[in-house]
Structures are given as C-alpha cells and as structure tokens.
Amino acid sequence: MITLLSTEVPLAQGEAPLKVAWVKEGRLLPQGEALDACLGGALRRALEGAPLKEGESLLVATPEGQVLLFGLGEEVSSSGGRLAQALQRLRFPEALVEPLEEAHALAEGLLLGAYRFQRHKSEKEERTLTLRLPGVPEGVLERARKVAEGVYWARDLVNEPPNLLTPLALAERAMELRELGVEVQVLDEEAIAALGMGAFLAVAQGSANPPRFIELRYAPPGARARLDLVGKGLTFDSGGYSLKPTESMATMKSDMAGAAAVLGAMKSAALLGLPVEIRGYIAACENLISGRAYRVGDVLRTLSGKTVEVMNTDAEGRLTLADALCYAERQGAERILELSTLTGASVVALGEEVAALFATEPAWGSLVQEAAGRAGEKVWPMPLEKAYREKLKSPVADLKNVGDRNGGAITAALFLSEFVRVPLVHLDIAGPAFAKKAHALGPEGGTGFGVRTILKVAEAL
Ligand code: BES
Ligand code: ZN
Ligand code: ZN
C-alpha cells in the first residue's frame, strides 16, 4: 500500500525520518541543493566518487536525519517506480520526496512501481509506504491516483488465475463499474447465439464455463466525443486442438489483457470524469479442449455474415474479435480502438516491451500513436499490407483464420480489418501485456498496458 500526500513544506525545512533527494549526472537538483546547504555540504561530499546512475541509491546519515540520494534517469516515471520499490525493499514506512517538474509522471511512477499482487499468498507482507511531495498540488496527486487505480485493476484482473477468473467472473468484475455510473450489460450464451456471433461461440464451445459478452457504456452528460473500445477477453487460451506446449500455455491467463485494459481505462475515465463517451465490448470465453470443442477444418458463420474456415484453433482471438468488432460497429461506433494479446509474431517482431500498432486509417493511427507516446507506453506502427490478404483465402469459406508463418502479426490484423468499415486501430499487446520479470513500474505479471494510452486517446478527442 502506497499513499502520496501533498505538503507545502520544502525538502530542506520538512521534518521526516527520511528525505529523498534526486541526483542527475552527479548533481543535486534545486531542493536537494537547499537541503545540502542546511546540512553543511554533507550530501555533496557523499556524492563525490559515487555519481549514482539511474535507480542507484546512497543512504546518508546526518544529524538532522537520514537522506537517501537516488539516481534519476531519463524517464521520470521509471525513476519514480524504482524509488518506490527501493523504499519498500529498505522497509522505510515514510519519506519526504523531492518533487520534480514532471510531477504527474513522478506520482504515477511511484504508484505503479509500488504495485504488488498478494491475493493468493497466505502470508501477506505489509509494506505501507507514505510519501509526502513538497509543493506538488493535491490535484496532480489525485489525477495520478485515479490513473493508477485503473492500471492496478487491469493488473489484478490479468494476474488472477484462470480457474478463478472465468468468463462469468470477468463479467461480474465488470459489473463493479456500475458503482461509478458505467452501464454494464452482460449477454449470456443464448443471447450471444441469438445475435449470431457464430465465431465467438465456436471458440467458447469447448469449455464447461460458458461465455459472456460484456458491453460497457460510460456516457457523461455533455460528452464532446465518442470512443469505442474492444478488448480480447480469453480468460485462458490452451490453443484448443492446435494445443500449445506447456511453456507457451503458462502465461495464457493473460490472454484477457486487452479486456483488462478496456476495463481499467473505463474505471479511470469514470473516476476522472473525462468528458468523452466511452463504450467497451468484450467477448469473454476460454479456448479449451473437449468433445464439444471446435475443430481444425470447421467453417464458422460470423456475426458479419462472412464465413471463416478454422485452420488453427489457436488463432482464436481474431475469431472472437471479428464478432465483437462487428457488434461495436452496429452499435454506432465512429472509430474503434481494439487491444489484444493477438500474436506471438508481434513479440518476435518488436520484443516484450513494444506493442504493434495497425491502423486502417492514418489519422486515427497517428492519434493513437501520439497518445501512447504521451502516456509513456511503447507502440510502433506496422503495415496493414494488402498484398498479404491472399494468405487468408480459403477454398471453402470466405476467409481462413490463419496465413502462413510469415508476417503473422500482419495477417492477424488484416483478418480483423475484414470485419469493420469504420477507422480501426488494432494494438497487438502480446509482448507488453505481461512482464516475465520485475521492471521499473511493477513486478512480474500483468502490466496494465494500454490503460494509460486509452486515457490519453480519450483526452485527445
Ligand atoms: N494468445 C495467443 C497469442 C500470444 C502469444 C499472446 C504469446 C501472448 C504471448 C494467440 O491466441 C495465439 O495463439 N496466436 C497464434 C496465432 C497463430 C496460430 C497464427 C500464435 O501467435 O502463435
Ligand atoms: Zn491462441
Ligand atoms: Zn489467444
């Protein structure tokens, strides 16, 4: 648990068992300088011969109390995250932290860095941390708290094991947003079938846990624009009959990270009271094996009317998304931002930290790309190369659900684009949605990737 508080008292004058001063390129920043003057140059002397790189720290004992010198890097939020983690590790319960010009990024980083997921630990480590930030307005902290709350929620949902976070459970969690004035509608199997979502249902049919289609609407009065979000909601992806090997299956509880990003962003948006109408659509199901599971070779009828030949049951996300995207468009979406842990190929192309961005329309693509840049989330544009459309041709149906091994992230994106006419941005977040090891902004596990980008997109509309 981390608490950020605003205070008027500057670093030098404050009373605290621990003060934190930043060091960049071997130098103190202004408030650290002032503190050092009060301490007779003790900090500067301590720094000699120890220039402190990003994330490195040096604890200095002075007659006035302890001062932690902490290396500041290029990215303020990352440095904030590392600081929160260091303070937790050193078991300091509270500190007065030198503010930075990018106060929001610092606050966000401190909050995100301190995240932990202990729900299923019998012994929970209580590490409460209270940080006071001189001169940072309460409004800045409040904003950061609301953003972090959405990211935390998205991470919790991704980290929750798949036996507990079933499609039904995900729908129940989504309904919690009603407390914030978000309308939540949940369609059961019958309603999904009645609508004609044949592709979504086929993916879901192998599991004893029934699917749910979750529809969300945050509509503040006087909204100045509308944003429609679609998130991939596979609460577990075994691959189906095109079974994944155990190592690849190990992180597949995270195959609903797109849905988690949509939910987290809608939570933050409602808390922040953003003046934009936001709708969210999640086709939640599991991809499992059984006597009822869909097969390789099956032909499915999507909501759009287009038929799809299943050539790999592990390319299930695009099938559920085809129906969700078509549904979103029928609800009057003007533009769609869709997030999914869609392909291993995007991870091969861009690694674990960068999401692949595909846009059917350049202006919408650059708006999202720039928003991601401001949010501090890494995305990179990829081509929706039309020449590869023929890889998706089927001898028996309108399309097949996979191409060949080459350009797998692109053919997946091309497949999705077959089911919408309005501008679509598809973010393939298979890499950055789930961290295999701890990082500056959090521990291993769900990252909440996408939440902050969605919020920046909504703000830009
Ligand atoms: N959920 C996976 C994609 C994935 C891979 C997410 C690694 C996170 C980390 C998706 O459903 C999948 O299995 N895609 C296949 C597509 C292939 C069969 C064309 C893949 O990437 O191998
Ligand atoms: Zn799959
Ligand atoms: Zn999947």
Side-chain angles (χ1 to χ4, degrees):
M1 247 287 280
I2 179 169
T3 311
L4 302 186
L5 301 172
S6 171
T7 173
E8 292 300 316
V9 195
L11 193 67
Q13 271 81 60
E15 295 265 327
L18 179 73
K19 294 180 181 183
V20 177
W22 296 100
V23 176
K24 186 153 194 185
E25 282 144 20
R27 287 165 192 247
L28 294 162
L29 305 186
Q31 288 211 23
E33 290 278 9
L35 174 63
D36 194 34
C38 296
L39 297 173
L43 302 183
R44 205 175 290 198
R45 280 195 297 279
L47 266 180
E48 278 167 21
L52 296 189
K53 288 205 270 306
E54 161 161 41
E56 291 180 345
S57 62
L58 186 63
L59 192 59
V60 185
T62 80
E64 316 281 322
Q66 301 190 87
V67 177
L68 185 74
L69 298 174
F70 204 81
L72 175 65
E74 284 305 315
E75 275 175 36
V76 166
S77 64
S78 295
S79 299
R82 297 220 182 271
L83 172 61
Q85 288 163 6
L87 293 172
Q88 284 178 326
R89 209 170 34 242
L90 297 166
R91 293 176 195 282
F92 282 109
E94 59 175 293
L96 189 60
V97 176
E98 179 175 26
L100 297 168
E101 221 168 284
E102 292 175 64
H104 176 81
L106 172 60
E108 214 173 81
L110 288 166
L111 293 170
L112 296 183
Y115 172 87
R116 308 182 68 205
F117 183 71
Q118 300 195 84
R119 181 181 267 214
H120 303 291
K121 293 275 192 192
S122 305
E123 278 174 38
K124 308 197 197 318
E125 289 175 38
E126 259 307 325
R127 291 192 194 166
T128 51
L129 180 59
T130 304
L131 303 179
R132 286 180 296 137
L133 294 154
V136 175
E138 170 57 25
V140 170
L141 298 183
E142 193 52 21
R143 210 196 120 70
R145 283 184 206 114
K146 289 171 176 173
V147 173
E149 195 165 333
V151 178
Y152 271 42
W153 196 40
R155 289 178 177 184
D156 283 348
L157 291 170
V158 170
N159 290 334
E160 194 65 0
N163 58 326
L164 301 176
L165 195 85
T166 57
L168 252 168
L170 183 63
E172 273 164 16
R173 301 300 306 271
M175 286 192 270
E176 291 171 15
L177 287 177
R178 286 177 180 159
E179 288 161 31
L180 299 174
V182 176
E183 293 166 37
V184 185
Q185 265 205 63
V186 177
L187 307 182
D188 64 11
E189 223 169 348
E190 244 176 87
I192 297 164
L195 274 167
M197 295 186 167
F200 173 32
L201 270 185
V203 174
Q205 75 194 25
S207 174
N209 291 316
R212 287 291 182 267
F213 191 86
I214 307 165
E215 196 176 347
L216 308 128
R217 181 165 175 255
Y218 162 68
R224 62 162 185 247
R226 173 170 164 177
L227 173 62
D228 287 67
L229 305 170
V230 175
K232 175 173 173 181
L234 266 289
T235 60
F236 185 68
D237 179 11
S238 74
Y241 278 107
S242 311
L243 193 65
K244 288 182 184 295
T246 305
E247 311 80 68
S248 318
M249 217 186 283
T251 57
M252 281 303 130
K253 67 175 181 181
S254 70
D255 213 18
M256 37 57 71
V262 169
L263 291 168
M266 292 195 72
K267 180 171 204 176
S268 293
L271 288 168
L272 291 162
L274 291 191
V276 173
E277 176 174 347
I278 307 178
R279 304 221 192 180
Y281 311 89
I282 296 162
C285 69
E286 295 185 288
N287 187 19
L288 295 188
I289 289 177
S290 76
R292 285 175 31 149
Y294 78 142
R295 314 159 189 78
V296 175
D298 283 1
V299 172
L300 316 175
R301 187 178 183 81
T302 63
L303 177 61
S304 72
K306 288 189 185 179
T307 56
V308 180
E309 185 187 17
V310 178
M311 283 287 105
N312 189 318
T313 61
D314 199 10
E316 84 299 335
R318 62 196 74 181
L319 296 171
T320 65
L321 291 164
D323 284 344
L325 288 166
C326 177
Y327 185 82
E329 186 163 288
R330 291 194 184 172
Q331 297 308 305
E334 297 158 20
R335 55 178 92 75
I336 300 174
L337 172 55
E338 174 274 322
L339 302 95
S340 48
T341 45
L342 199 64
T343 66
S346 73
V347 192
V348 173
L350 297 174
E352 303 87 351
E353 295 196 19
V354 184
L357 181 148
F358 296 87
T360 62
E361 199 248 347
W364 181 222
S366 16
L367 191 145
V368 175
Q369 194 186 336
E370 282 158 24
R374 289 194 297 280
E377 295 190 312
K378 296 170 193 165
V379 310
W380 197 254
M382 300 269 273
L384 259 181
E385 179 50 60
K386 294 212 174 57
Y388 300 158
R389 268 213 186 125
E390 65 176 52
K391 291 183 195 258
L392 295 173
K393 278 191 181 156
S394 157
V396 298
D398 298 333
L399 287 162
K400 57 178 183 170
N401 75 331
V402 284
D404 52 37
R405 276 171 45 87
N406 302 331
I410 300 177
T411 46
L414 281 170
F415 183 89
L416 298 180
S417 71
E418 290 291 321
F419 298 89
V420 263
R421 281 168 284 245
V422 296
L424 168 70
V425 165
H426 155 58
L427 282 182
D428 193 334
I429 60 171
F434 194 88
K436 294 230 171 73
K437 50 186 192 331
H439 53 107
L441 292 180
E444 64 180 284
T447 58
F449 188 96
V451 171
R452 291 180 294 153
T453 295
I454 295 171
L455 293 171
K456 288 290 180 201
V457 167
E459 283 169 5
L461 291 176

